[in-house]
Amino acid sequence: MSELPSVTEAERRIRASLPLFATEHVPLDAAAGRVLRQRVLAERDQPPFDRVMMDGIAITLADAAWRQFHVTGRQMAGMAGQVLADPTGCIEVTTGAMLPQGCDCVVPIEQIVREGDQVRLADGWVPTTRQFVHPRGSDCREGDPLLAPGVRLRAPELAVLAANGVAAVEVAAVPQVAIIATGDELAEVEQQPLADGQIRRSNDRALAAALRDRGFVDVRLTRVPDDLAATTERLGELLASCQVLVLSGGVSVGQRDFVPEALRALGVNKVLYRIAQRPGKPMWFGIGPQGQVVFALPGNPVSALVCAVRYLLPALEQAMGLTARPVEHVVLAAPAGTSPTLTCFVPVRVHHDDAGRALATPVPAPTSGDFSALPHTDGVVELAPSEHAASAGTVATLYRW
């Protein structure tokens, strides 16, 4: 048997084979959470005028000794620009208004004493040139790059889009994902009672939650029995309607593991099968005849989730055009087991010490089928092959659920 690819090599093959999902235009109000696929340049200088930063009065400091002024007009936010022609006068202003022409200083309302149309500066208050003025173009200049393709559109990005007149946003189209549970032993969640040998479907729910949490909201769930003909027929239907297929189970080398054979019969090109890791060794990945992305994950729950956070989710985010997430490192708070030939993924609970270090306490599962402790963990750490256990203090990469 040929040597199994390493985790790094498996990731390289997957990433090199991925298509780029299509784009679409959506209204700005529907763009939250989507992946941007266009460059956004500043529509104009921001702020587009010298902007008043405080309610008060606008004056000119041509004569720095002047401390009493008469009100000659008002400049409210949204009004056309006013002009101060008399340096002994002042103009009332509000926050966000244009700085009136002829003015070079704003005095806050708290620092003035007003009697009718006469205003004097509060005792001890010393105005300075350009005080409380947000200069035109100090945030950005017209044509400056503001957003690049590949960002997730959150509240700050939506504000930038709106402020620059982007009413229709070019984003990555959200692919339709089918999650297919395999196995005659699977029963529906609501079934009562369970027959001998049955277990409830759970992997597909976990995978769907992980996908939806990353913005892949168009997810359908289905199942197939342990039958080659039925599996082939159903997968063929899904390949015709979905861009992504995620299977759970039926991918190992057992007598009733028909997924690889069914995919081969449907013309799905195998890119990868089996990885030198634990858990999750029997993972299958391929590309369909029309560029469909197919992940066939092991049926054991921990194995399926490990493969999802290590390969499936990052791959689909790449296909969306999303900029890669920063690598997150943690320090082991206790020793963790390793393998001399396999990369090991160990569930951990993360906390921070007084110095701010992210510490990971291993919570190893007895088997890849035991997922009852996973709700008490934050993700898994990746530990390279080694003849010795990873000691406390080892720095490791964390993949969050």
Side-chain angles (χ1 to χ4, degrees), residues 139-211:
D139 293 348
C140 61
R141 289 292 186 182
E142 179 181 347
D144 282 353
L146 300 179
L147 297 175
V151 300
R152 181 80 69 180
L153 296 176
R154 308 163 302 157
E157 289 79 13
L158 267 291
V160 168
L161 292 169
N164 288 273
V166 184
V169 191
E170 184 179 354
V171 297
V174 178
Q176 187 172 70
V177 181
I179 301 177
I180 307 101
T182 71
D184 290 341
E185 75 279 15
L186 298 180
E188 298 304 320
V189 174
E190 63 273 13
Q191 179 177 324
Q192 294 289 351
L194 293 180
D196 291 343
Q198 283 189 315
I199 58 173
R200 291 190 176 88
R201 289 165 56 183
S202 60
N203 283 6
D204 53 354
R205 269 37 180 236
L207 293 170
L211 285 161

Side-chain angles (χ1 to χ4, degrees), residues 1-16:
M1 179 182 294
S2 61
E3 184 177 350
L4 296 180
S6 68
V7 166
T8 301
E9 173 61 15
E11 179 184 44
R12 186 197 67 78
R13 291 188 197 178
I14 292 169
R15 290 186 175 274

Side-chain angles (χ1 to χ4, degrees), residues 231-272:
T231 298
T232 304
E233 180 182 6
R234 185 65 179 129
L235 294 186
E237 295 170 351
L238 294 171
L239 283 170
S241 60
C242 298
Q243 293 167 276
V244 180
L245 268 61
V246 181
L247 294 103
S248 172
V251 73
S252 192
V253 292
Q255 293 182 5
R256 298 173 69 79
D257 290 327
F258 298 118
V259 167
E261 186 176 352
L263 292 171
R264 182 171 58 252
L266 292 167
V268 180
N269 177 50
K270 181 183 75 175
V271 174
L272 177 75

